[in-house]
Amino acid sequence: MILREAVELLKADVQYTQSSQLEVDISTARASDLMSEVLADDAVPDILLTGLCNSHVIRTASVFGIKAVVFVRGRPVDQKLIDCALDENIVVMTTKDSLFTSCGKLYTAGVRGVTENLKHRDSNK
Amino acid sequence: METRLDKTLEILFELKVGDAMKKDIVTVKPDDSMGKLNEEMSIHRISGVPVVEGKKLVGIISISDLIAWLTAGVKDSKVMEWMVKDPQCLYADQPLIHAIKRFDQLRFGRFPVLDRESGELVGIITNGDIILGTLKKLEQDYNEEEVRQYRASHFFEDINADHLDLTLAFIITGKDFDHAGRASTTMKKNLKRLGLQPEIIRRAAIASYEAEMNVVIYTDGGTMKFTVNDEKLTIIVKDRGPGIENIELAMQEGYTTAEPWVRELGFGAGMGLPNIKKCSDFMDLQSVVGEGTTLKIEIMTGVQNETKRINPEAQS
């Protein structure tokens, strides 16, 4: 699915984006509140879902190469975070759904966990 | 990926009316004759003229007003009798996007531009000026970034020496979470301009970001030094303490001494150091308790080969 469809599915408010960024393809996702755990992964997810709401999430996304971040449970995002997203060109959206529900919706739509993909590949070896 | 259209929108917010307006403007006075206006308009090939008294704008008169006067066949008429009084204006400090909206709403051919503080007339703007101003800025920005990337990616070819090291240093302030990560993200952009491979840049960014966060979280501050040459990228991170008691333990995945507030920020899972090791080709950690820690990371780059691959046409 493309990011624009994910926005609709999660009924998310897009806080920062450039129009073309919503057209990118989303096939893998990662959900975590532990940024250092995300950074230690072997594969880069297309989208990151988190309940953690500070500008380090954006920095982590930028450093790791993640295109979009979904902040769950309707957490308010502050200007510092938006400014950071602007600098790093990361799509920022918020949804009222919980982390569990958001992941469930994306999974149903065909998005898969990035680490799960890896394990699947490893077990095929 | 940023498209040209997004860039244009950004420029329309960034550029001010004052940047795009015409500054050398032809004006007439309220008691000038309509005959004089007719002359001015045909000499300068313009279709609208602001009417000023001193430096104060009192009206605007356009070619349609001139035609109305000619049709009426009144002789010895003055500008003030035919001009539009108290015309709609723009201010020089308004963003260009605002001007576009006004043109769209009112369908005027031009707007006089005033200085907000003095209220004096400083210029005039037409739709054409907006297009020209935007294109100029677009071209300028494009050239600047192109030159930057070109210069940076050719750095190692244009500067001659038997051995060349480019060193960039950053100061890291302890406990300053608002700016934590700045050195790593800035360096990531620099490495991109230098033309390094994306995979190398990603590993360097992750390793340096983890190291930078460690300095911010656990120490009173320190420095980060990035040295790039044609064979490798070296990152040296030094802090002023407190130092690591047991390095072997610290290197274990999951081991952490982080306090709860660090975890609330999404860090302190005991993954930092192992992750740095994973991202680097060589890693060395030296620490003296009470004095400080020095971390050395090396990532093999092969800069020269890489720039040649990216800019094959530049190799003559």
Side-chain angles (χ1 to χ4, degrees):
Chain A
M1 72 191 313
I2 60 165
L3 192 51
R4 186 183 300 284
E5 293 165 335
V7 172
E8 280 164 26
L9 196 64
L10 299 172
K11 293 194 187 68
D13 290 323
V14 179
Q15 308 285 346
Y16 168 77
T17 185
Q18 294 191 330
S19 59
S20 63
Q21 287 177 308
L22 290 181
E23 306 305 325
V24 299
D25 205 41
I26 298 295
S27 59
T28 57
R30 176 83 161 87
S32 179
D33 288 352
L34 267 176
M35 293 306 115
S36 35
E37 214 173 69
V38 172
L39 284 169
D41 276 351
D42 287 317
V44 185
D46 295 320
I47 189 167
L48 172 68
L49 297 99
T50 181
L52 187 73
C53 205
N54 61 43
S55 38
H56 295 294
V57 176
I58 303 298
R59 289 236 165 79
T60 302
S62 164
V63 160
F64 206 52
I66 303 170
K67 299 165 214 165
V69 179
V70 182
F71 293 100
V72 298
R73 274 188 289 126
R75 292 283 197 100
V77 293
D78 62 5
Q79 193 54 44
K80 252 187 279 178
L81 193 151
I82 303 283
D83 288 346
C84 194
L86 204 123
D87 277 350
E88 307 300 336
N89 245 327
I90 307 287
V91 179
V92 174
M93 59 180 98
T94 50
T95 175
K96 290 207 168 60
D97 289 340
S98 70
L99 187 57
F100 180 82
T101 307
S102 307
C103 292
K105 281 182 176 177
L106 290 177
Y107 193 93
T108 311
V111 178
R112 289 295 173 263
V114 68
T115 42
E116 179 189 346
N117 261 7
L118 276 185
K119 274 191 197 119
H120 183 68
R121 209 175 57 193
D122 289 346
S123 66
N124 282 354
K125 268 178 194 170
Chain B
M1 273 289 284
E2 187 176 304
T3 65
R4 275 291 116 129
L5 194 66
D6 291 317
K7 186 73 202 161
T8 312
L9 257 178
E10 211 178 296
I11 284 173
L12 291 175
F13 278 101
E14 193 186 315
L15 277 184
K16 301 286 177 267
V17 169
D19 299 325
M21 68 183 187
K22 272 195 269 302
K23 284 176 190 141
D24 47 338
I25 37 172
V26 180
T27 58
V28 289
K29 295 191 199 75
D31 49 7
D32 279 339
S33 70
M34 287 302 279
K36 187 182 174 199
L37 175 78
N38 192 3
E39 262 173 49
E40 291 285 347
M41 279 187 159
S42 47
I43 292 170
H44 299 288
R45 296 175 160 273
I46 45 176
S47 56
V49 184
V51 186
V52 290
E53 214 162 14
K55 280 186 173 175
K56 197 180 173 300
L57 180 80
V58 292
I60 191 157
I61 191 156
S62 71
I63 201 133
S64 54
D65 302 314
L66 188 74
I67 291 167
W69 168 69
L70 287 169
T71 323
V74 199
K75 281 194 175 171
D76 299 329
S77 215
K78 284 183 177 171
V79 164
M80 66 169 100
E81 296 162 38
W82 297 90
M83 71 183 186
V84 174
K85 283 172 197 148
D86 302 320
Q88 297 273 346
C89 297
L90 291 168
Y91 289 103
D93 61 359
Q94 284 172 323
L96 219 47
I97 190 91
H98 180 83
I100 292 175
K101 281 181 192 149
R102 298 288 280 166
F103 272 110
D104 197 44
Q105 281 165 2
L106 298 166
R107 310 242 158 231
F108 288 171
R110 70 203 62 75
F111 282 98
V113 182
L114 306 184
D115 177 69
R116 196 184 288 275
E117 274 175 26
S118 65
E120 287 172 3
L121 179 76
V122 288
I124 193 159
I125 191 161
T126 63
N127 260 324
D129 296 328
I130 293 178
I131 294 170
L132 213 66
T134 312
L135 286 177
K136 261 188 201 157
K137 176 79 178 152
L138 207 61
E139 191 190 351
Q140 193 186 333
D141 281 7
Y142 179 73
N143 283 343
E144 270 170 21
E145 185 52 30
E146 184 137 281
V147 164
R148 259 190 223 130
Q149 287 200 352
Y150 180 84
R151 269 196 212 137
S153 63
H154 285 67
F155 184 83
F156 289 97
E157 293 155 32
D158 293 347
I159 307 291
N160 297 311
D162 289 337
H163 183 75
L164 177 72
D165 281 327
L166 172 66
T167 299
L168 299 140
F170 296 85
I171 292 164
I172 307 164
T173 313
K175 314 287 184 288
D176 177 8
F177 285 97
D178 285 347
H179 297 101
R182 184 191 60 96
S184 309
T185 42
T186 308
M187 202 52 213
K188 189 184 165 196
K189 283 176 195 137
N190 288 337
L191 293 176
K192 209 170 162 187
R193 284 184 182 154
L194 281 168
L196 265 68
Q197 264 181 303
E199 188 49 35
I200 305 270
I201 295 175
R202 207 175 72 88
R203 281 165 56 203
I206 294 171
S208 66
Y209 185 60
E210 290 277 16
E212 187 177 356
M213 289 311 287
N214 280 348
V215 175
V216 173
I217 292 169
Y218 298 104
T219 80
D220 297 329
T223 55
M224 266 180 120
K225 210 167 76 177
F226 297 79
T227 303
V228 195
N229 60 34
D230 53 14
E231 119 191 60
K232 67 191 173 194
L233 165 70
T234 310
I235 309 170
I236 294 173
V237 192
K238 274 187 187 165
D239 68 57
R240 295 185 288 272
I244 302 168
E245 267 181 43
N246 188 335
I247 290 182
E248 208 180 314
L249 206 55
M251 286 303 298
Q252 275 178 23
E253 217 165 275
Y255 177 81
T256 181
T257 58
E259 292 169 40
W261 61 269
V262 175
R263 294 182 195 223
E264 273 164 35
L265 284 163
F267 291 88
M271 310 288 274
L273 286 173
N275 199 18
I276 292 172
K277 190 174 173 65
K278 199 176 84 184
C279 289
S280 51
D281 292 310
F282 169 83
M283 172 183 166
D284 179 52
L285 187 62
Q286 302 286 339
S287 189
V288 179
V289 174
E291 280 181 32
T293 304
T294 302
L295 170 69
K296 188 177 176 188
I297 304 163
E298 282 181 4
I299 297 170
M300 298 302 156
T301 57
V303 165
Q304 268 190 346
N305 296 337
E306 195 50 33
T307 49
K308 269 173 197 164
R309 200 179 58 79
I310 287 172
N311 292 304
E313 73 282 1
Q315 300 296 307
S316 48

